[in-house]
Amino acid sequence: MTQQVPMLINGEMVISRTTQWLAVTDPATQNEIASLPCATQAEVEQAVAAAKAAFVSWKETPVSERARLMLRYQALLKEHHDELATILSKETGKTFEDAKGDVWRGIEVVEHACNIASLSMGETVENVARKVDCYSYSQPLGVCVGITPFNFPAMIPLWMFPMAIACGNTFVLKPSEQDPLTPMRLAELFQDAGAPAGLLQVIHGTKEVVDQLLVHPDIEAISFVGSVAVAEHIYKTGTAHMKRVQAFAGAKNHMVVMPDAQKQQVINNLVGASVGAAGQRCMAISVAVFVGESRQWVGELTEALAKVRPGAWDDKAAGYGPLINPQAKQRVVQLITEGIDAGAECVLDGRDCQVAGFPEGNWVGPTLFTKVTRDMSIYTEEIFGPVLLILEVDTLEEAIALINDNPYGNGTSIFTASGAAARKYQHEIKVGQVGINVPVPVPLPFFSFTGWRKSFYGDQHAYGKQAVRFYSETKTVTARWFEDDIAAGPNMTITLK
């Protein structure tokens, strides 16, 4: 029998009593590596109740003690960094180097959470009126929920629960059912760091479990990362039930290549940004917009992409791993076929990719399209695979108009040697995260992850100061004290004026 994945409820690792179990499979072999429970309704209620009970005491815990918990936790995460990356590689198929990056970006958010005392400071103004002062506090909300995707099983849970808990909340995590082993190890290490029982709950399941959380009366806030359709469902349902919701959705990220850019830098960065992690990143570059004479570089880009090959997680020569499951591969292959049928030129076709020794793996080779039009499904849909589209325009203004007309606004980048072009681009583009000679502009945690338009539903974004605002409520106090009320103690004589 494969291992049964436990749940974390009220400080204990428990095996579910459910009759519904899902197979967790190795995407390179299709071998089952674990069995995952779909939590029962009673188990979900138990987890939420435990989080609600723990909140009563945790919200009164001094902020310095909350920070020390995060300090202990980040130290443990660093100590177990490679172990976490190995677990992550085996269940996602990511190469080991890619998995290490996934873990490290999560650790950086925990480091940021260690600054919670400074991050949660309020504001004060003395004498807003005569002898009247006004000041504000940040106070926690209560029980918060995180629903996380398969593609970053370390980083994205660590976007959520450390910041929420540092703010004084308790948390229920529902990780992806496709790679739950990494989040469970994160939870174990959090317990080892000294987290009180009930602070973090981890439950498993599919849509039924999520829907139960979305309408639960004891849930105050919901964080989500995933596809557009699910993000819309999460946001609409959660807000309809008076929850605070941040829902990160899909993307179609463009990289603009100006003719004054450094050619080799462009090619090297485009290769990694387009097919790295098998393209299964919401910040992947899936469209390259070549401006003017830079279109002459497409041939050399094609040659560079053709040299990249996928492989197993421990293959040091592999550029990326398999897609997460056969359904994901089938969808990507279908979109490639639709692009060819619609008249785009497929100059690199990865549909028949094979990796020696892994005949059952979900492999798709690097794929490159030219002669793409904006009405094709390969352009209108997020492919979420190692597929790069080439568009050509004559001017920077045309590139900006093209991108601003796209409904997504997660990330974009421009490669140029011109400060004026970069300034114009960053100012006029309607995208939340902009890279200048940086292909994947994911900000460090002291800023926030700021997708726009159809890439995000909500008001406050992930990590950074915006996460503190999302996981906190502001209380404003207006105070006046009358001097006539000053009482003299037995050894005090007070003369009032």
Side-chain angles (χ1 to χ4, degrees), residues 51-63 65-66 138-143 164-170 196 199 471 475:
K52 183 179 180 181
F55 176 66
V56 174
S57 58
W58 183 245
K59 68 178 180 179
E60 304 298 337
T61 302
V63 66
E65 292 185 26
R66 287 183 257 142
S138 291
Q139 295 190 335
L141 303 173
V143 182
I165 289 171
C167 288
N169 303 286
T170 53
L199 214 56
Y471 291 121
K475 179 179 286 184

Side-chain angles (χ1 to χ4, degrees), residues 363-411:
W363 311 109
V364 175
T367 300
L368 182 67
F369 277 101
T370 60
K371 298 182 180 178
V372 177
T373 59
R374 292 158 60 188
D375 59 343
M376 295 177 178
S377 61
I378 54 172
Y379 183 77
T380 59
E381 295 189 34
E382 182 179 27
I383 299 176
F384 226 60
V387 180
L388 178 63
L389 315 181
I390 302 295
L391 274 70
E392 298 178 4
V393 297
D394 293 326
T395 66
L396 176 59
E397 287 77 10
E398 288 180 70
I400 292 172
L402 181 152
I403 296 166
N404 285 347
D405 190 50
N406 189 279
Y408 298 103
N410 216 33

Side-chain angles (χ1 to χ4, degrees), residues 205-219:
T206 53
K207 184 176 184 296
E208 291 75 15
V209 170
V210 171
D211 285 342
Q212 186 178 348
L213 293 170
L214 294 179
V215 302
H216 199 291
D218 293 332
I219 301 297

